[in-house]
Structures are given as structure tokens and as C-alpha cells.
Amino acid sequence: MSGDRSTCFIGATIWPGGDAGFMAGGLLVKGTRIVSVLTPAEADAAALGADEVIDAAGMILMPPLADCHVHSSSTLFRGTENSLPLELWSFHAINHGRGVTDEAARLSVLLTAVELIRNGIGSYVDHFPQAGRAAIGLDAHLESGLRVAFAPFFADLRDEDLLGIPLDTELAARLLPLAPRRAEEIETLYRGLAVRLRQQGHGRVELMCGPNAPQRCSDDFWKLWQRLQDSLGLGSHTHLLETYPQRQLADVRWRGGLVRALDAAGLLHDRLSVAHGVWLTREEKELLARRGVTLSFNPVSNAMLGSGRKTIREDLELGLEVALGTDCSNAGGRHDLFEVMRHMLVSGRDPGSDFRHWPKPGQVLYAATTAGAGVFRNQAVRGRLETGAVADVLMLDPRAPGLAVAPVSPASIVAHADARSVHSLMVDGNWLLRNGTVTVLNEVALIERASVVAAELRALAAETGPAIDGLQAGYAAWQGSAFQGVTCSCCAPRLSPRSMTLA
């Protein structure tokens, strides 16, 4: 939609977002903003002066879903190794990533975009490992039409060194990521991206600091993180305490705890979102909540990689802002927040648990929309359909299989909706999906070319795959020592931080 062209939706059922209820009515959009949410009578009147009128009878209008932890670079790695713990799985992921070219990076971002669009996701955080190709990724994001918080990786420490994971040194050299590792290189990269966005962007794509994880950054890189966020006014996104070995390491490196160290460094605030947090203590969750941090819950990838089962109920009860994420295609599966919403809904429903405190559908739908939109710095991105907000609108068809015959409610959407329910998607006043057809990208041509490039990447990775598989015996012995006395975060009592020591 260009300029001040207006579109009026009539005859719809509207969920404005937040804690609002469903209502009959319409929506008036002008340019890139929502003018007003309308009653049925107001919608009929507004339609008389609109440039386009959309009869949304029988449809649900709501804020698009927001995916708050994605690695778009992994989309060409679909169907590869996903049956190992994170620390060992990551060797396979790096192995597939080392063959990525500029074309592969672009295709991966755009193929991710198609999947997100078809799943009703209008905005996402792209935690981007291929920092050396960040400019390529940025161009693809601008092309995709989606709303993106773009967070290129930086780190200068590696898990195999920090955790004592046994790894052949020659193999390690072959697997080293091809990414900037010096602080001055990262700073130059970020400042260049910030200039490009000021010159070419229009608020739909924004830059975020993307430290891989706090423990993978030296003290100098923590200072770099502080400098970038403060001088460029950026939000930040990072992994946080995803696995038990990370918890052990953090408690050795930061005697007062990692979360308190982040707070002391000025890195804990409402511009920070963190992924996972499986091994956070109650006190750490309370501190995150007080500082306004958003936590991205990634239950599918956590389960796939054996990182631990996070019961999200406690996070909600402590007032922590919870959003949802789908993580890597080769770890979390589909970029499908309908699936993740159902996982959140059933989280913590253990036998004998207090059912009165199980997550409610309204909390889940809020996490998938309004909470997720909160990570964006643009004040008009609200995750709500309301006057002055960006014109981001998801249209669901409740007559589609799955939702058919269900009453219109948060419970129905969370428990029964899926990609078949997604009828149309508008972001920033532009249609990305209309009547089930992707309008912003050539989906067929994209998939054809991406299939060829993905096969090439798999062929290259196959040369080193057996050597990585050969690490399993040594890794299993290391794991047995590292996890001594602990099975997982739900099957055995969680050790207190004071009793955790590095194996």
C-alpha cells in the first residue's frame, strides 16, 4: 500500500490484542498506520470514503504472530542432524554453515520469510550467525516485507574451550565459523549497518545487538556490547542459560551469578530479550522481571536438543514478560508459532500439579502477539490493533480445517488454529499474503533454487560429518561427568547454584 491509500475492513470479528476481548466490527488503515478500530456501523460509514473495501465477513482480524527467536541462516539445513544435545549438535550446525555463500545466505532469509508469512508471523527476531554476511541478510530482510529485529552474532569464545568438550584440534580448525571475531571488526560492521538502515530503512527493519551468549563473550566483548547498545541506541537479543553445562560455567565465572553480572554491567533492561532461560533460578527470573526483560520461550528446540523442559508457569507468575520462539529449522523444526503456542499451553501440566495455575489460552495468545511485538524499539509496533499503531494485520479464517465449528475465542485459536487458518497477512500496510497467496516473493522460484543450494551444502557437509560423529563416545563420557547428579530440569531435583561446580 503506497502513500495515504486507505483500506477499510468490514464485517469482521476483531481481537485487538493484549487483554481485550473479541468484538464485531471493522478496521480502517491508511498508509502504514491503523486509523481506527470500528464498530459495525462505523465500518460501513468509513467504507464509503475508502480507496479499497475488504469484506471480511466470517474472518478474524488480529495482530500478527511475533516469533522472538529465529536463526534464519538455518533454514537451508532443514532435515539435517537433530538428535543430539546442543553442544554436540552445534558441531554439525557449524559444519553445514561453513559452506554458506552470499546466495545461500540470501535464499535462507527469503525462504524463512515465506514460511513465516504462511504461518501468520508478521515480525521476528533474526539472531543471525553469519555476521560476515550481515549486509546480504539485511538486504533480504528489506526485500521480504516482514518486520524484523536483525541481530547479527558476535562472540570470541567457544563452548569446546569453555566447557572442556573433547574435540580434535584439526577438526576444530576446519569447523571454525567464518565470522568476524575482533571487536573492531564487529563495531565497524554494526556502525555500517546502522548507517544503511538510516539511509534505506523505514522502520520495518531495525538493528539489534546480537551477542551469541554472555558466556561466549570475553570481558572486552561485554564492553563492545555496552558500547554498541548505548552509542547506537539499540536493543539486544541473546541466548541465556540454555543448558545445564552453561549454568555450571556461569556460576564459576560470575560468583554472584550471570544475571546479576549482566545487571551490574548495565545490560539488563527493557530493551533486552533473551532466548531459552531453561536454567534460570527463581531469583534471577524476579530480577529479569523487575528490569523489564522479555524472555523468549522455545519449548520445541529445548526438547529436541535435550536442553531441559522449562515450566513457563513460574515465569508468568513472577511477572516476567514471556514471548515465543521457534529457533533453528534444524533444531526446532517448523517456524510455526501455532505449534509453539500449544506447547506453552500444556507446559507444566504434570500429574498432581495445581491446575488452577496452568497457563491460560489468553496468556498464550498474548505471548505470541503483544509480548513479542514489545521487543521492537519502534513505538508504533504494539502488537495491537489500535489507533496509531503500525498497520500489521493477520486475517484468520475460522472456517478452515482445524478451527471449523469452534467458537471464536483465544482457546480455539491456541488449541486448534494452524497454517491452514491463515487467510491473509498485512505488514506495514502492505499485503504479504492475500487469499492464501504469497504476494511479496516468487515462492515457486525461490524454493526451486533454494533446493539446489541446500543439496550442495549437505554434500559439502557430508565430507566432515563422519568425523563429527566420531566425537560421540568422548562427548558421552564428558556429558556423564558434566551431568553427574542431574538428569534434567524436570526429572530430578534442580541443584542450587551454590552446589553447582564445573565437571
Side-chain angles (χ1 to χ4, degrees):
M1 185 183 299
S2 59
D4 291 330
R5 180 176 171 80
S6 61
T7 297
C8 185
F9 298 81
I10 62 173
T13 297
I14 296 176
W15 181 62
D19 58 0
F22 288 78
M23 56 177 281
L27 192 69
L28 181 61
V29 169
K30 191 172 186 179
T32 63
R33 296 296 176 95
I34 294 173
V35 175
S36 56
V37 178
L38 308 167
T39 66
E42 291 170 339
D44 290 340
L48 298 176
D51 295 305
E52 181 181 16
V53 178
I54 296 176
D55 185 355
M59 299 290 181
I60 300 170
L61 300 185
M62 60 178 282
L65 306 180
D67 195 336
C68 284
H69 186 58
V70 175
H71 301 294
S72 69
S73 58
S74 70
T75 299
L76 295 188
F77 310 153
R78 290 173 178 165
T80 60
E81 178 57 60
N82 63 358
S83 58
L84 296 169
L86 182 139
E87 287 84 10
L88 187 54
W89 164 88
S90 65
F91 297 152
H92 284 283
I94 293 170
N95 183 36
H96 281 86
R98 66 192 177 92
V100 168
T101 62
D102 286 354
E103 182 190 24
R106 176 179 177 275
L107 289 169
S108 196
V109 171
L110 295 180
L111 189 58
T112 301
V114 167
E115 184 178 11
L116 296 174
I117 289 167
R118 287 207 167 276
N119 279 295
I121 298 167
S123 62
Y124 77 110
V125 176
D126 187 9
H127 204 195
F128 193 76
Q130 301 284 346
R133 293 189 167 82
I136 302 296
L138 179 58
D139 285 340
H141 284 312
L142 291 169
E143 182 182 351
S144 75
L146 285 167
R147 191 171 302 286
V148 182
F150 185 46
F153 264 22
F154 57 83
D156 58 343
L157 303 175
R158 298 191 300 272
D159 278 357
E160 56 268 23
D161 298 327
L162 296 168
L163 301 175
I165 300 173
L167 180 65
D168 180 83
T169 54
E170 180 181 349
L171 178 59
R174 287 157 57 190
L175 292 177
L176 286 177
L178 300 176
R181 278 180 132 25
R182 296 168 60 233
E184 52 267 36
E185 292 178 305
I186 295 294
E187 186 153 5
T188 298
L189 168 69
Y190 265 81
R191 294 192 182 280
L193 293 172
V195 169
R196 285 196 57 204
L197 277 173
R198 283 197 298 269
Q199 293 174 342
Q200 302 175 24
H202 41 74
R204 184 172 51 76
V205 178
E206 63 181 57
L207 185 63
M208 296 184 83
C209 293
N212 183 318
Q215 77 278 2
R216 297 180 185 128
C217 293
S218 65
D219 291 345
D220 285 343
F221 266 50
W222 274 44
K223 293 174 183 176
L224 168 68
W225 181 2
Q226 293 169 299
R227 193 161 61 247
L228 290 174
Q229 73 163 19
D230 294 341
S231 63
L232 297 177
L234 304 179
S236 298
H237 183 76
T238 190
H239 299 102
L240 183 64
L241 298 178
E242 184 174 359
T243 69
Y244 178 65
Q246 293 175 16
R247 172 85 250 183
Q248 291 180 298
L249 172 68
D251 288 330
V252 170
R253 181 171 169 186
W254 295 282
R255 291 298 178 180
L258 170 55
V259 175
R260 288 195 177 279
L262 289 169
D263 193 39
L267 295 169
L268 223 59
H269 43 65
D270 62 4
R271 291 179 288 137
L272 173 67
S273 63
V274 298
H276 306 299
V278 177
W279 293 91
L280 288 166
T281 67
R282 182 182 180 90
E283 292 75 19
E284 288 168 338
K285 294 175 184 179
E286 290 173 339
L287 180 54
L288 292 174
R290 288 198 301 272
R291 296 293 183 260
V293 174
T294 297
L295 183 138
S296 176
F297 181 42
N298 292 257
V300 180
S301 68
N302 293 157
M304 190 83 77
L305 298 172
S307 299
R309 190 182 70 181
K310 181 178 181 62
T311 300
I312 203 65
R313 181 180 65 248
E314 182 180 72
D315 302 60
L316 296 171
E317 291 173 348
L318 293 175
L320 188 56
E321 190 79 336
V322 173
L324 302 179
T326 57
D327 210 346
C328 296
S329 290
N330 53 333
R334 301 188 307 272
H335 293 305
D336 180 356
L337 283 185
F338 294 111
E339 178 184 26
V340 175
M341 281 196 283
R342 283 184 279 278
H343 276 268
M344 179 177 174
L345 184 65
V346 302
S347 172
R349 294 192 179 189
D350 299 315
S353 60
D354 189 343
F355 60 87
R356 295 168 298 181
H357 293 278
W358 289 352
K360 304 298 189 292
Q363 292 174 305
V364 176
L365 196 56
Y366 174 88
T369 54
T370 309
V375 306
F376 286 83
R377 299 281 287 146
N378 185 340
Q379 295 301 304
V381 180
R382 303 171 192 167
R384 301 173 189 266
L385 306 184
E386 61 185 19
T387 299
V390 290
D392 295 357
V393 183
L394 173 61
M395 185 182 296
L396 295 182
D397 186 351
R399 299 159 298 193
L403 268 181
V405 313
V408 175
S409 68
S412 295
I413 293 173
V414 170
H416 301 291
D418 57 32
R420 296 170 299 176
S421 310
V422 177
H423 181 277
S424 299
L425 176 65
M426 172 184 284
V427 172
D428 222 33
N430 295 306
W431 291 109
L432 307 189
L433 181 78
R434 191 156 191 187
N435 299 324
T437 299
V438 176
T439 59
V440 72
L441 297 167
N442 185 332
E443 185 177 8
V444 173
L446 176 62
I447 291 174
E448 288 179 353
R449 181 56 189 159
S451 298
V452 172
V453 174
E456 293 171 350
L457 292 175
R458 290 195 298 272
L460 178 62
E463 299 172 6
T464 306
I468 300 175
D469 289 336
L471 300 172
Q472 291 190 22
Y475 180 90
W478 169 84
Q479 185 187 53
S481 176
F483 282 80
Q484 189 172 9
V486 172
T487 52
C488 73
S489 61
C490 62
C491 301
R494 182 177 300 182
L495 298 181
S496 67
R498 293 183 183 275
S499 66
M500 295 178 185
T501 56
L502 271 176

